[in-house]
């Protein structure tokens, strides 16, 4: 899929699985390479209905190209939406009982380009919500607002290059709810929010025998939040959650709670 100086509105009602539907600007199934050329814009739908502006079902998505993509409200003063996800990558829900098969899709890789997502006052599960693994290898990813910046539901978040900024979220900046977060290479990561007194910057939580760790082995990472800068939460099978810093730079500033 090539976007070249495109302007899209998230107004099409899409049934993506069983009785599940949402409004979208662009929806696809199967593996996708999304190529960005020029300046592209996607406008979120106003109102309280479910709105996943870019919706990929049973897909693995790779972003490349030297262009930009901005996802935001056309009118920046628009109010809260009940369920807004600017970019949503899902697995096949029919395979959710088979962990290995379920992990075969629902993955996201960013190689190059610039993606900026601004949800304004809208609520939802995350600016970038990916069922399995998130890999940022290059490019520029900018996330503003929402309950979470990057949200991996079942997999890991790995940032090995490029630039990632998650700002003004209400819950977690980088959140692997059942996996690990790894930052390395020449990545530049900036996580900042004072929207809520309980906001946490970077989180890795365990799922059974895996996950629950945060690894920093390169790059430059800065976290500015009210509560907890970096949280690693393991479990009985996975063992104690670990924060391991072997290289790179990490700077954490908190206004309340513990660093």
């Amino acid at each position: 899929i090539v976007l070249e100086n495109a302007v899209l509105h998230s107004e099409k009602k899409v049934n993506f699985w069983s009785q599940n539907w949402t409004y979208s600007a662009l929806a696809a199934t199967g593996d996708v390479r999304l190529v960005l050329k020029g300046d592209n814009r996607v406008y979120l739908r106003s109102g309280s209905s479910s709105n996943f502006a870019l919706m990929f079902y049973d897909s693995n998505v790779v972003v490349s190209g030297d262009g930009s993509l901005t996802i935001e409200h056309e009118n920046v003063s628009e109010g809260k939406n009940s369920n807004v996800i600017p970019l949503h990558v899902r697995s096949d829900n029919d395979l959710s009982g088979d962990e290995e098969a379920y992990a075969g899709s629902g993955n996201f890789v960013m190689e190059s380009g610039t993606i900026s997502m601004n949800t304004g006052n809208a609520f939802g599960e995350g600016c970038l919500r990916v069922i399995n693994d998130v890999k940022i290898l290059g490019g520029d990813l900018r996330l503003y607002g929402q309950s979470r910046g990057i949200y991996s539901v079942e997999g890991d978040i790995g940032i090995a290059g490029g630039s990632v900024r998650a700002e003004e979220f209400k819950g977690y900046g980088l959140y692997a709810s059942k996996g690990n977060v790894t930052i390395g290479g020449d990545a530049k990561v900036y996580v900042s929010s004072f929207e809520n007194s309980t906001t946490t910057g970077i989180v890795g939580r365990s799922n059974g025998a895996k996950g629950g760790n945060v690894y920093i082995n390169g790059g430059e990472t800065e976290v500015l939040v009210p509560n907890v800068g970096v949280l690693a939460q393991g479990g009985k099978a996975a063992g104690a959650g670990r924060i391991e810093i072997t290289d790179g730079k990490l700077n954490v500033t908190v206004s309340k709670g513990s660093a």
Side-chain angles (χ1 to χ4, degrees), residues 9-25:
H9 291 79
S10 191
E11 296 290 343
K12 182 67 175 178
K13 190 174 181 180
V14 175
N15 292 294
F16 58 88
W17 176 71
S18 183
Q19 300 301 310
N20 292 268
W21 65 271
T22 189
Y23 285 99
S24 289

Side-chain angles (χ1 to χ4, degrees), residues 191 199-203 223-231 252-254 258-259:
V191 177
T199 55
T200 299
I202 298 172
V203 182
V223 181
L224 298 88
V225 291
N227 191 29
V228 178
V230 180
L231 172 64
V252 173
T253 302
V254 292
S258 168

Side-chain angles (χ1 to χ4, degrees), residues 51-103:
N51 183 192
F52 304 163
L54 270 63
M55 172 68 207
F56 301 97
Y57 181 76
D58 190 14
S59 299
N60 294 304
V61 177
V62 179
V63 176
S64 62
D66 57 5
S68 65
L69 170 63
T70 301
I71 307 174
E72 61 186 359
H73 285 100
E74 194 163 14
N75 182 352
V76 295
S77 65
E78 287 178 353
K80 298 177 181 179
N81 290 26
S82 60
N83 189 15
V84 171
I85 301 175
L87 204 164
H88 194 182
V89 182
R90 299 183 62 100
S91 285
D92 182 354
N93 279 16
D94 290 328
L95 299 175
S96 59
D98 183 336
E99 185 174 337
E100 184 176 352
Y102 190 61

